[in-house]
Amino acid sequence: MARLTIVLLLMVAGCNGGSGGDAARSSSGKPVIAVIPKATSHEFWKSVHAGAAQGAKEADVEIIWKGPITESDREMQINLVQDFAAQGVAGICLAPLDSQALVPAVDEAQAGGVPVLIFDSGLDDTQGIGIVSFVATDNYHGGQTAGRHLGTLLGGKGRVIVLRYIVGSQSTELREQGCLDALAKEFPEIEILSSDQYAGDTADKALVKAQQLLLSFGEQVDGIFAPTQHVATGVLRALEEQGLAGKVKFIGFDPGPELVTALATGKMHGIVLQDPVGMASQAVQTMAAHIRGEKVEPKIATSETLATPDNMNEPAIQKLLYPELLE
């Protein structure tokens, strides 16, 4: 894919520049949209970056891609929203790290005339001006899919761990709850050994937490659900260390190189897949349409698909297992 020229610096256009400020358009005259992901280091967000660039090309706009390095720096995300609003970009596409902490900054941006679209993970209700749109996977349904598959693999009986991500991330909270609800409703004989532990925002932190859980429960564990790629990576490494990989039924959410290999070799039994490229492309194109004065849908759901060892070589699944990356 031809790389889109990405604007790196914008001139400050004043505290309330809005979409009419100098920074609202690039030197080529195209509207400039700031895209703020939860992080920039994880594989998932590199695919989101590729999708945002693709969407910008389709919509004939330019993007600025900037976000925290890891998914724990709420303060940086808040500062980025405030800075881009002050610069007067034409619009902001934000994947909020925290459903509550980002609300004041979003309200401030929109009050200053800079429209905000939320994607990937939800935001609690904002005051006054509503967001442009919410573009995301149906994360609750994705979690249900994971729980249903895990329960089926276990034959409706066994003991399960749901290792959570971090507090405040609406997308993963919905996945976790969806999984737990599906297990409780459809497989009442399955026992939840642990569902109150949080892995943190890196694979290394997830590894430590998974090691602790396996030390506590060991051979009692029949199944595990991990709601993000890096949490699943940490769990996989812990299972491998303990000689439990392949023995414990293991479902993840979002692919990564280690996880795809694990799926192919029977160390994982399912990965719920989003379409990060399509989601980000849709987000940017929706914001561009809003900037042009077009009516847009207030909520746009993108797809989720279950990859298993049996279907992973199908072309449609392969496309989602190996999404495009942009550094």
Side-chain angles (χ1 to χ4, degrees):
M1 181 190 77
R3 288 179 178 258
L4 186 72
T5 301
I6 298 176
V7 180
L8 298 178
L9 295 174
L10 293 175
M11 298 300 292
V12 175
C15 291
N16 290 318
S19 61
D22 293 339
R25 292 187 177 274
S26 68
S27 57
S28 64
K30 296 179 181 180
V32 175
I33 296 171
V35 182
I36 307 174
K38 286 185 177 180
T40 55
S41 57
H42 299 151
E43 294 290 313
F44 177 81
W45 296 109
K46 294 176 182 178
S47 295
V48 169
H49 190 184
Q54 182 184 101
K57 183 177 180 181
E58 291 291 329
D60 197 29
V61 298
E62 293 195 17
I63 61 168
I64 309 166
W65 171 264
K66 192 169 185 180
I69 294 175
T70 62
E71 296 185 9
S72 59
D73 198 344
R74 292 168 176 79
E75 194 63 33
M76 181 176 180
Q77 256 209 339
I78 291 168
N79 290 339
L80 284 170
V81 173
Q82 292 172 334
D83 289 347
F84 283 129
Q87 292 167 11
V89 293
I92 297 172
C93 292
L94 170 69
L97 274 169
D98 190 296
S99 63
Q100 296 180 11
L102 272 294
V103 170
V106 169
D107 282 341
E108 182 182 345
Q110 296 191 129
V114 177
V116 180
L117 177 147
I118 301 300
F119 73 99
D120 177 68
S121 189
L123 194 70
D124 285 358
D125 289 342
T126 57
Q127 302 301 313
I129 305 170
I131 60 171
V132 170
S133 185
F134 176 45
V135 181
T137 301
D138 186 336
N139 286 291
Y140 183 78
H141 182 259
Q144 286 181 306
T145 299
R148 192 170 293 120
H149 185 55
L150 184 56
T152 300
L153 290 171
L154 292 174
K157 297 181 180 181
R159 291 151 295 191
V160 166
I161 290 173
V162 174
L163 180 54
R164 295 180 182 269
Y165 169 49
I166 60 174
V167 176
S169 171
Q170 190 182 93
S171 59
T172 48
E173 288 176 345
L174 287 169
R175 296 170 196 171
E176 295 151 7
Q177 195 59 50
C179 178
L180 290 167
D181 286 352
L183 288 171
K185 181 178 180 180
E186 300 179 36
F187 306 97
E189 294 186 57
I190 287 181
E191 177 187 354
I192 305 299
L193 291 173
S194 174
S195 64
D196 62 355
Q197 297 299 299
Y198 290 85
D201 63 328
T202 68
D204 288 340
K205 292 178 183 178
L207 169 61
V208 172
K209 183 57 68 174
Q211 288 169 331
Q212 293 170 352
L213 286 168
L214 290 178
L215 183 64
S216 297
F217 297 107
E219 296 294 333
Q220 297 180 58
V221 183
D222 298 306
I224 298 178
F225 171 59
T228 73
Q229 180 259 325
H230 67 274
V231 175
T233 300
V235 170
L236 173 64
R237 293 170 184 172
L239 288 170
E240 289 174 333
E241 285 181 358
Q242 297 299 314
L244 295 173
K247 298 177 182 178
V248 172
K249 303 302 182 185
F250 178 30
I251 313 298
F253 208 111
D254 291 332
E258 286 184 62
L259 303 183
V260 175
T261 298
L263 191 68
T265 57
K267 293 181 178 181
M268 286 192 76
H269 304 86
I271 303 174
V272 181
L273 306 174
Q274 303 183 78
D275 181 4
V277 175
M279 177 173 60
S281 177
Q282 183 71 63
V284 171
Q285 291 187 64
T286 299
M287 175 57 80
H290 173 77
I291 291 168
R292 292 193 298 265
E294 299 174 15
K295 184 178 179 180
V296 300
E297 293 296 323
K299 187 173 183 178
I300 299 172
T302 56
S303 64
E304 63 281 341
T305 305
L306 178 68
T308 68
D310 293 332
N311 72 6
M312 66 178 294
N313 290 319
E314 296 175 7
I317 302 295
Q318 284 280 300
K319 184 178 179 180
L320 297 174
L321 285 171
Y322 298 99
E324 185 176 357
L325 302 178
L326 188 61
E327 297 292 338

